mmCIF file of all heavy atoms in Angstrom:
data_model
loop_
_atom_site.group_PDB
_atom_site.id
_atom_site.type_symbol
_atom_site.label_atom_id
_atom_site.label_comp_id
_atom_site.label_asym_id
_atom_site.label_seq_id
_atom_site.Cartn_x
_atom_site.Cartn_y
_atom_site.Cartn_z
ATOM 1 N N GLY C 732 3.840 1.988 34.460
ATOM 2 C CA GLY C 732 4.467 3.177 35.024
ATOM 3 C C GLY C 732 3.645 3.823 36.128
ATOM 4 O O GLY C 732 4.199 4.270 37.114
ATOM 5 N N SER C 733 2.361 3.896 35.944
ATOM 6 C CA SER C 733 1.538 4.480 36.968
ATOM 7 C C SER C 733 1.472 3.700 38.272
ATOM 8 O O SER C 733 1.480 4.257 39.383
ATOM 9 C CB SER C 733 0.092 4.639 36.446
ATOM 10 O OG SER C 733 -0.524 3.432 36.201
ATOM 11 N N ILE C 734 1.464 2.364 38.137
ATOM 12 C CA ILE C 734 1.375 1.550 39.382
ATOM 13 C C ILE C 734 2.733 1.612 40.125
ATOM 14 O O ILE C 734 2.807 1.623 41.359
ATOM 15 C CB ILE C 734 0.907 0.100 39.109
ATOM 16 C CG1 ILE C 734 1.971 -0.670 38.270
ATOM 17 C CG2 ILE C 734 -0.437 0.100 38.456
ATOM 18 C CD1 ILE C 734 1.677 -2.086 38.204
ATOM 19 N N VAL C 735 3.837 1.618 39.403
ATOM 20 C CA VAL C 735 5.127 1.780 40.029
ATOM 21 C C VAL C 735 5.275 3.101 40.671
ATOM 22 O O VAL C 735 5.737 3.242 41.821
ATOM 23 C CB VAL C 735 6.258 1.491 38.986
ATOM 24 C CG1 VAL C 735 7.652 1.809 39.641
ATOM 25 C CG2 VAL C 735 6.239 0.052 38.567
ATOM 26 N N TRP C 736 4.918 4.159 40.010
ATOM 27 C CA TRP C 736 5.049 5.486 40.560
ATOM 28 C C TRP C 736 4.099 5.686 41.775
ATOM 29 O O TRP C 736 4.485 6.297 42.732
ATOM 30 C CB TRP C 736 4.697 6.550 39.462
ATOM 31 C CG TRP C 736 4.840 7.942 40.043
ATOM 32 C CD1 TRP C 736 3.863 8.846 40.220
ATOM 33 C CD2 TRP C 736 6.074 8.551 40.504
ATOM 34 N NE1 TRP C 736 4.383 10.055 40.739
ATOM 35 C CE2 TRP C 736 5.728 9.841 40.883
ATOM 36 C CE3 TRP C 736 7.399 8.124 40.558
ATOM 37 C CZ2 TRP C 736 6.663 10.741 41.421
ATOM 38 C CZ3 TRP C 736 8.298 9.009 41.107
ATOM 39 C CH2 TRP C 736 7.927 10.340 41.478
ATOM 40 N N ARG C 737 2.874 5.095 41.638
ATOM 41 C CA ARG C 737 2.014 5.171 42.837
ATOM 42 C C ARG C 737 2.546 4.453 44.050
ATOM 43 O O ARG C 737 2.471 4.863 45.188
ATOM 44 C CB ARG C 737 0.657 4.601 42.393
ATOM 45 C CG ARG C 737 -0.437 4.702 43.486
ATOM 46 C CD ARG C 737 -1.797 4.415 42.924
ATOM 47 N NE ARG C 737 -1.939 3.160 42.363
ATOM 48 C CZ ARG C 737 -2.080 2.935 41.038
ATOM 49 N NH1 ARG C 737 -2.193 3.993 40.237
ATOM 50 N NH2 ARG C 737 -2.201 1.722 40.567
ATOM 51 N N ALA C 738 3.149 3.283 43.796
ATOM 52 C CA ALA C 738 3.762 2.534 44.889
ATOM 53 C C ALA C 738 4.929 3.256 45.466
ATOM 54 O O ALA C 738 5.103 3.278 46.697
ATOM 55 C CB ALA C 738 4.209 1.111 44.381
ATOM 56 N N PHE C 739 5.740 3.903 44.594
ATOM 57 C CA PHE C 739 6.846 4.681 45.103
ATOM 58 C C PHE C 739 6.403 5.826 45.893
ATOM 59 O O PHE C 739 6.913 6.194 46.993
ATOM 60 C CB PHE C 739 7.736 5.114 43.956
ATOM 61 C CG PHE C 739 8.915 5.926 44.390
ATOM 62 C CD1 PHE C 739 10.035 5.341 44.957
ATOM 63 C CD2 PHE C 739 8.938 7.305 44.212
ATOM 64 C CE1 PHE C 739 11.124 6.070 45.350
ATOM 65 C CE2 PHE C 739 10.049 8.088 44.599
ATOM 66 C CZ PHE C 739 11.119 7.433 45.138
ATOM 67 N N GLY C 740 5.348 6.552 45.443
ATOM 68 C CA GLY C 740 4.790 7.681 46.179
ATOM 69 C C GLY C 740 4.283 7.246 47.555
ATOM 70 O O GLY C 740 4.455 7.973 48.510
ATOM 71 N N ASN C 741 3.514 6.147 47.575
ATOM 72 C CA ASN C 741 3.010 5.653 48.826
ATOM 73 C C ASN C 741 4.132 5.326 49.823
ATOM 74 O O ASN C 741 4.016 5.548 50.988
ATOM 75 C CB ASN C 741 2.111 4.451 48.604
ATOM 76 C CG ASN C 741 0.830 4.759 47.822
ATOM 77 O OD1 ASN C 741 0.407 5.987 47.790
ATOM 78 N ND2 ASN C 741 0.284 3.819 47.167
ATOM 79 N N LEU C 742 5.227 4.707 49.222
ATOM 80 C CA LEU C 742 6.310 4.364 50.120
ATOM 81 C C LEU C 742 6.943 5.610 50.732
ATOM 82 O O LEU C 742 7.145 5.723 51.976
ATOM 83 C CB LEU C 742 7.387 3.642 49.295
ATOM 84 C CG LEU C 742 8.731 3.352 49.998
ATOM 85 C CD1 LEU C 742 8.513 2.330 51.149
ATOM 86 C CD2 LEU C 742 9.761 2.818 49.032
ATOM 87 N N ILE C 743 7.250 6.601 49.924
ATOM 88 C CA ILE C 743 7.875 7.785 50.446
ATOM 89 C C ILE C 743 6.922 8.547 51.452
ATOM 90 O O ILE C 743 7.351 9.039 52.505
ATOM 91 C CB ILE C 743 8.239 8.756 49.286
ATOM 92 C CG1 ILE C 743 9.253 8.092 48.357
ATOM 93 C CG2 ILE C 743 8.828 10.088 49.805
ATOM 94 C CD1 ILE C 743 10.539 7.719 49.079
ATOM 95 N N THR C 744 5.681 8.587 51.056
ATOM 96 C CA THR C 744 4.653 9.242 51.999
ATOM 97 C C THR C 744 4.645 8.530 53.315
ATOM 98 O O THR C 744 4.628 9.156 54.368
ATOM 99 C CB THR C 744 3.288 9.236 51.349
ATOM 100 O OG1 THR C 744 3.360 9.879 50.114
ATOM 101 C CG2 THR C 744 2.259 9.941 52.254
ATOM 102 N N GLY C 745 4.597 7.238 53.314
ATOM 103 C CA GLY C 745 4.570 6.457 54.532
ATOM 104 C C GLY C 745 5.838 6.649 55.406
ATOM 105 O O GLY C 745 5.767 6.758 56.620
ATOM 106 N N ILE C 746 6.986 6.802 54.735
ATOM 107 C CA ILE C 746 8.183 6.953 55.454
ATOM 108 C C ILE C 746 8.287 8.317 56.165
ATOM 109 O O ILE C 746 8.609 8.424 57.330
ATOM 110 C CB ILE C 746 9.450 6.854 54.515
ATOM 111 C CG1 ILE C 746 9.526 5.341 54.089
ATOM 112 C CG2 ILE C 746 10.707 7.278 55.162
ATOM 113 C CD1 ILE C 746 10.627 5.067 53.074
ATOM 114 N N VAL C 747 7.978 9.386 55.396
ATOM 115 C CA VAL C 747 8.149 10.724 55.907
ATOM 116 C C VAL C 747 7.026 11.115 56.895
ATOM 117 O O VAL C 747 7.199 11.966 57.789
ATOM 118 C CB VAL C 747 8.235 11.770 54.762
ATOM 119 C CG1 VAL C 747 9.452 11.478 53.911
ATOM 120 C CG2 VAL C 747 6.939 11.833 53.908
ATOM 121 N N THR C 748 5.884 10.496 56.719
ATOM 122 C CA THR C 748 4.771 10.799 57.672
ATOM 123 C C THR C 748 4.835 9.943 58.948
ATOM 124 O O THR C 748 4.257 10.302 59.922
ATOM 125 C CB THR C 748 3.382 10.623 56.937
ATOM 126 O OG1 THR C 748 3.334 9.233 56.446
ATOM 127 C CG2 THR C 748 3.261 11.614 55.847
ATOM 128 N N ALA C 749 5.479 8.813 58.835
ATOM 129 C CA ALA C 749 5.569 7.944 60.074
ATOM 130 C C ALA C 749 7.040 7.461 60.072
ATOM 131 O O ALA C 749 7.273 6.260 59.963
ATOM 132 C CB ALA C 749 4.596 6.844 59.999
#
Side-chain angles (χ1 to χ4, degrees):
S733 64
I734 66 172
V735 172
W736 180 247
R737 185 165 58 249
F739 180 74
N741 293 338
L742 172 67
I743 299 300
T744 301
I746 290 174
V747 298
T748 56

